[in-house]
Amino acid sequence: MDEAYRAGRQRVISLDTEEEGEEGRTQVESMMTDFVGREAELSHLSGLFASARLVTVVGPGGVGKTSVSLRAASSALDAYADGVWIVELSGLRDPELLPNTVASVLGVPEQDARSPQEAILDHLRDQRMLLVLDTCEHLVDACASLTEAILLGAPQVTILATSRQPLDVIGEHTFPVAPLPPGDAARLFELRARQVMPKFQLDHDSRPYVARLCQRLEGIPLAIELAAVQLRVLTLRELTQRLERHFTMLASGSRGATPDADASLGAATTAGMAAARHQTLRRAIEWSYDLCSSLERALWQRLSLFAGYFDLAAIEEVCAESDPERNEVLQALYSLVDKSVVLREPAGGERYRLLDTLREFGAERLAARGPAEEARWQARHFARYLRLAGGFRDNFATDEQIERYHALRDEHSNVRAALEYTLGATGAEDVAGEPGLLALAGHDLVNALALYWMISGRLREGGYWLGKALTVFGPPSPARAATLVTRGLLRSFQGHPAGSIADCREAIEIAAVLDLPELAAHGYLHMNLSLTFSGMHAEAEEVGLEARERLTACADRVGLLMLTCQMGHLYQLTGQLDLALATTSEGLLLLGEGTRECWLRGYLDIVSSFALFQMPGREDDCAAYATQALLAKNELGDIAGIAYALETLGWLATRAARFERCAWLLGAADPLWRRVGSRFGGTALMELVHQQAAEASQASIGADRYRLLWTLGMSLPTDHVVITAISGADEITDPGEVTAGPGA
């Protein structure tokens, strides 16, 4: 299942939740700092939730803002009927994508007609929830703007933000998180030291050194973490003495350090205290950096290019330029893990990340090596994600589809970082105002992701990047035509067929002028779908036949497979049921027997189930195809496809007078439709069947019972819904009533 989709489906997100998707992802199980003390802060913070609508937890990096906030949010679960939702923002760099990111976590519709912020406000208007915006400091203006809008438009939503500075929003209550007091700081050091030296303990001999060390580090948890792991190579006495010498040299040298905390904190303002503690943390990070080998430092710098999580394959491909260097990089990685610079997520797992503060430091060091060196490694990072996207596109209709899609999905933050690098505000155009090499590279990536945007349900974000590309590629060009074709595909599923048709027509015109037959074929292909969704069936058939001829001439197998799905649907809508089934059979034959491809096969099965539903006496066959489709779509994580299959099973339940089953099936499909943006792409006939099934169920079991079951289906994890639907059960239970926590 798509992890971002799972995050959007969860009613609550707590400290016991498994790792979330790249948008809204919060790895709370293996946070770097062990949670020690903080009872007073937690009590005060929890009390603020009852009186304040916006609480911003502030403090310098590494002080524990996120851990305190998430622990307080977890304890507040019962106070919010619509749950606690966590949006983790550290991997986001483009402020314009903040509303998209929040909307994705909340499961807000992917509507093209409304702005993401408008859609968020409409979604939250009647919700009673706690919304956590974690790590806002690099997006403070965007977070402030969105927060103000939510406070005005959603009166029952409370916002908890974490930031190194306040948002400066009217009604904001700032809650500074202080460093750990001496006793708790020593306890944290002991816990982390035991991970390095299991027999370590605070005793008469070690306690004075630990106290001096924690005092020098001002009780900052991250700084204590970085120091404790040095016990791998230093005795406690050596560690304390070296750290004190390092801080003394920095304080008396020319590196811009602030005076010692003991001399300055007493009279400092809160801002001054935070600045001094930031300097303390920076000194601790610099000390850890200085203790690294040259190769470890270089790897730290290169890893700062990654947003969010990365795996060994990514590290080897981006950070090493030869096979011998890969072995050296892996050794350096293991050393950085030992030093707690790089975190392994989950503990002992296969993915890694840098904390924001450490990533920022690495990025500074990489930038200090000069623009050419920085661009060299950025280009390697981009090349990896262009390769992944191109491999997914080129192997879409093969048995590798699922594996390649999941590889992209798991690194969505890095895909986005690659797009920001190429299509962001800088570098998009060259000095003459023409599209530059970076923009051309970004165009290649955003278009290679066309079907990824579709399957993942990230239609709005895909549209954002396509819009960015279109602002650069103004004149008629192959790049503009390709981008219009891709946006036309996305718009067709967003319930914006008019915009889709306009994009496809412009692309076809450009392709005709520039002799781009494959782009023209795809323009006709996607226009066929939008015309079908618009109910313009005669025009859709004419355009579809044109697309078939052109795709055949180009030997475009994937395009022809997509067309069989679309034409089968068109024939089903126009009552040509035998022709619809013959067309889907043609598509299945083209795919090949025993294929593990899921997206196209699932849609061919869905269209077959639609046609069979309209044939009296074919209900069993209809259910078989719908079930096959549901299995395939759920394995892939295709949001729209899952919704189509659940709908069909719901209709069959009504026809069999199993009205309670229909209620929760339609309820489970509803948030998926809202994520995509439009039920059935706005097709009137399909909507009519939906309404008839819903009305029949309500009339039989009563509106209240229907609403209860519909809401239950809507709120449950989709994996659970799918298992229950395939089992043929009439009743569905909430797994949260049996197992602890709202898993997804």
Side-chain angles (χ1 to χ4, degrees):
M1 284 295 299
D2 187 333
E3 295 297 329
Y5 161 64
R6 289 184 180 185
R9 281 283 302 201
Q10 290 186 20
R11 190 179 66 85
V12 291
I13 300 175
S14 76
L15 290 180
D16 298 323
T17 310
E18 293 182 357
E19 172 188 343
E20 304 307 325
E22 284 294 327
E23 295 180 306
R25 176 172 295 182
T26 303
Q27 180 67 22
V28 293
E29 296 172 335
S30 53
M31 297 171 63
M32 188 171 186
T33 53
D34 294 288
F35 198 87
V36 174
R38 304 292 197 188
E39 290 83 1
E41 288 99 324
L42 289 172
S43 177
H44 189 183
L45 189 55
S46 297
L48 281 176
F49 293 156
S51 58
R53 299 256 335 274
L54 170 62
V55 179
T56 303
V57 176
V58 296
V63 79
K65 299 184 296 295
T66 294
S67 59
V68 169
S69 298
L70 295 184
R71 188 60 62 102
S74 178
S75 67
L77 283 172
D78 292 340
Y80 297 94
D82 295 298
V84 175
W85 297 78
I86 300 171
V87 186
E88 205 284 308
L89 300 173
S90 64
L92 180 66
R93 289 294 174 263
D94 189 334
E96 291 187 58
L97 281 175
L98 174 65
N100 298 68
T101 303
V102 174
S104 180
V105 172
L106 294 175
V108 173
E110 291 278 338
Q111 292 284 7
D112 207 40
R114 297 182 297 175
S115 72
Q117 182 164 305
E118 290 172 332
I120 290 171
L121 295 178
D122 184 57
H123 176 80
L124 294 178
R125 187 163 290 114
D126 299 319
Q127 297 278 304
R128 178 173 174 77
M129 71 165 61
L130 177 63
L131 178 63
V132 182
L133 302 179
D134 185 34
T135 314
C136 297
E137 56 268 7
H138 60 299
L139 304 165
V140 66
D141 291 338
C143 287
S145 176
L146 179 61
T147 296
E148 284 182 319
I150 293 174
L151 293 177
L152 289 172
Q156 298 185 84
V157 173
T158 298
I159 299 174
L160 173 62
T162 72
S163 178
R164 295 178 193 173
Q165 66 184 85
L167 301 185
D168 289 332
V169 172
I170 295 174
E172 178 182 32
H173 289 248
T174 57
F175 182 83
V177 172
L180 291 169
D184 288 340
R187 174 60 178 158
L188 175 61
F189 183 91
E190 180 184 27
L191 288 173
R192 296 299 285 146
R194 284 181 178 173
Q195 295 181 10
V196 179
M197 301 174 60
K199 294 183 179 180
F200 180 88
Q201 61 181 354
L202 285 175
D203 55 23
H204 180 270
D205 294 328
S206 65
R207 196 177 301 276
Y209 289 107
V210 173
R212 285 167 54 191
L213 186 146
C214 290
Q215 182 182 27
R216 172 58 70 182
L217 296 176
E218 297 192 48
I220 298 173
L222 176 57
I224 293 171
E225 293 262 2
L226 293 173
V229 297
Q230 298 299 334
L231 290 176
R232 292 183 186 277
V233 294
L234 300 172
T235 67
L236 179 59
R237 180 178 180 177
E238 290 172 335
L239 173 63
T240 305
Q241 291 175 342
R242 289 193 180 197
L243 183 66
E244 288 185 328
R245 283 201 303 270
H246 177 82
F247 272 55
T248 300
M249 284 191 302
L250 288 180
S252 61
S254 59
R255 299 177 70 172
T258 60
D260 274 357
D262 291 339
S264 63
L265 290 184
T269 63
T270 300
M273 292 168 65
R277 287 164 181 159
H278 176 76
Q279 286 297 329
T280 297
L281 176 61
R282 184 171 182 85
R283 292 172 191 171
I285 294 173
E286 288 175 339
W287 177 63
S288 295
Y289 183 79
D290 290 343
L291 290 175
C292 291
S293 68
S294 59
L295 187 57
E296 290 165 3
R297 295 176 194 174
L299 182 59
W300 187 340
Q301 295 168 17
R302 297 168 196 176
L303 292 178
S304 70
L305 293 169
F306 289 100
Y309 296 82
F310 43 89
D311 60 15
L312 284 176
I315 296 168
E316 290 179 321
E317 185 171 343
V318 173
C319 301
E321 294 182 294
S322 65
D323 288 338
E325 191 176 357
R326 288 187 178 189
N327 293 329
E328 295 175 348
V329 161
L330 289 182
Q331 291 303 314
L333 172 67
Y334 300 144
S335 295
L336 291 178
V337 171
D338 285 343
K339 291 179 170 67
S340 290
V341 173
V342 175
L343 302 186
R344 197 167 184 174
E345 302 286 14
E350 298 179 351
R351 294 198 299 165
Y352 304 83
R353 70 182 175 106
L354 287 171
L355 289 180
D356 288 344
T357 307
L358 303 181
R359 184 170 63 223
E360 291 167 6
F361 182 86
E364 288 177 11
R365 287 293 187 266
L366 180 60
R369 298 185 64 179
E373 185 71 3
E374 186 178 22
R376 170 190 171 198
W377 295 105
Q378 283 180 324
R380 291 184 63 85
H381 179 273
F382 172 82
R384 168 176 170 79
Y385 295 100
L386 178 61
R387 183 187 63 78
L388 287 182
F392 172 68
R393 175 200 58 206
D394 297 341
N395 293 275
F396 183 74
T398 72
D399 291 350
E400 299 178 28
Q401 182 189 76
I402 294 176
E403 180 182 355
R404 289 180 177 274
Y405 167 70
H406 287 173
L408 280 172
R409 176 206 67 190
D410 291 344
E411 295 202 66
H412 178 75
S413 288
N414 283 300
V415 171
R416 178 191 284 159
L419 288 167
E420 288 174 346
Y421 169 59
T422 52
L423 292 176
T426 59
E429 297 179 350
D430 64 18
V431 292
E434 294 296 324
L437 292 177
L438 286 179
L440 289 168
H443 152 268
D444 290 343
L445 178 56
V446 74
N447 283 286
L449 292 166
L451 290 169
Y452 169 77
W453 303 122
M454 290 286 302
I455 297 172
S456 66
R458 292 184 172 97
L459 303 178
R460 185 188 290 115
E461 182 172 346
Y464 170 80
W465 291 117
L466 290 163
K468 281 270 193 182
L470 287 170
T471 62
V472 178
F473 298 103
S477 65
R480 181 171 181 82
T483 305
L484 286 167
V485 164
T486 301
R487 193 172 71 170
L489 172 64
L490 269 58
R491 283 180 159 183
S492 67
F493 275 83
Q494 286 180 285
H496 191 4
S500 172
I501 292 167
D503 282 346
C504 291
R505 282 179 174 157
E506 183 181 348
I508 290 169
E509 291 172 1
I510 296 173
V513 172
L514 300 180
D515 190 23
L516 304 169
E518 189 167 349
L519 279 177
H522 278 253
Y524 283 106
L525 170 66
H526 301 327
M527 191 189 300
N528 162 261
L529 182 61
S530 293
L531 290 168
T532 299
F533 284 162
S534 300
M536 303 169 68
H537 296 152
E539 296 89 339
E541 184 169 9
E542 180 181 350
V543 167
L545 294 174
E546 181 71 22
R548 182 189 297 275
E549 182 177 335
R550 291 172 177 266
L551 291 166
T552 301
C554 296
D556 189 333
R557 176 172 174 266
V558 174
L560 287 168
L561 281 164
M562 292 178 68
L563 185 62
T564 59
C565 297
Q566 296 173 193
M567 293 299 285
H569 187 36
L570 173 62
Y571 294 139
Q572 169 256 318
L573 290 173
T574 54
Q576 302 175 74
L577 304 180
D578 290 334
L579 184 54
L581 291 175
T583 303
T584 56
S585 295
E586 175 189 341
L588 290 170
L589 185 63
L590 185 58
L591 264 178
E593 187 176 354
T595 178
R596 291 190 62 249
E597 191 278 340
C598 284
W599 195 77
L600 293 160
R601 176 167 53 91
Y603 275 120
L604 290 167
D605 286 341
I606 285 169
V607 172
S608 297
S609 72
F610 288 163
L612 290 164
F613 182 79
Q614 295 172 254
M615 295 179 171
R618 300 294 300 274
E619 287 79 11
D620 288 346
D621 293 333
C622 175
Y625 275 103
T627 299
Q628 285 180 187
L630 184 56
L631 285 168
K633 293 300 188 179
N634 191 55
E635 183 179 3
L636 184 61
D638 177 13
I639 294 172
I642 296 169
Y644 273 115
L646 290 174
E647 281 279 348
T648 309
L649 293 174
W651 303 345
L652 286 169
T654 299
R655 182 173 287 180
R658 302 167 67 185
F659 299 110
E660 294 202 344
R661 175 176 166 86
C662 173
W664 58 260
L665 282 168
L666 297 189
D670 184 75
L672 310 184
W673 289 128
R674 290 190 288 109
R675 283 288 307 279
V676 174
S678 176
R679 190 158 51 214
F680 312 115
T683 305
L685 176 60
M686 308 298 287
E687 180 64 24
L688 176 62
V689 178
H690 167 88
Q691 294 298 337
Q692 289 172 342
E695 290 168 5
S697 295
Q698 290 183 65
S700 176
I701 64 177
D704 291 343
R705 179 65 176 167
Y706 178 88
R707 172 57 59 176
L708 177 65
L709 292 170
W710 187 92
T711 303
L712 179 61
M714 179 186 69
S715 65
L716 293 178
T718 297
D719 284 345
H720 178 65
V721 170
V722 169
I723 292 170
T724 309
I726 291 172
S727 74
D730 285 330
E731 296 183 3
I732 189 168
T733 57
D734 187 343
E737 298 174 358
V738 180
T739 59

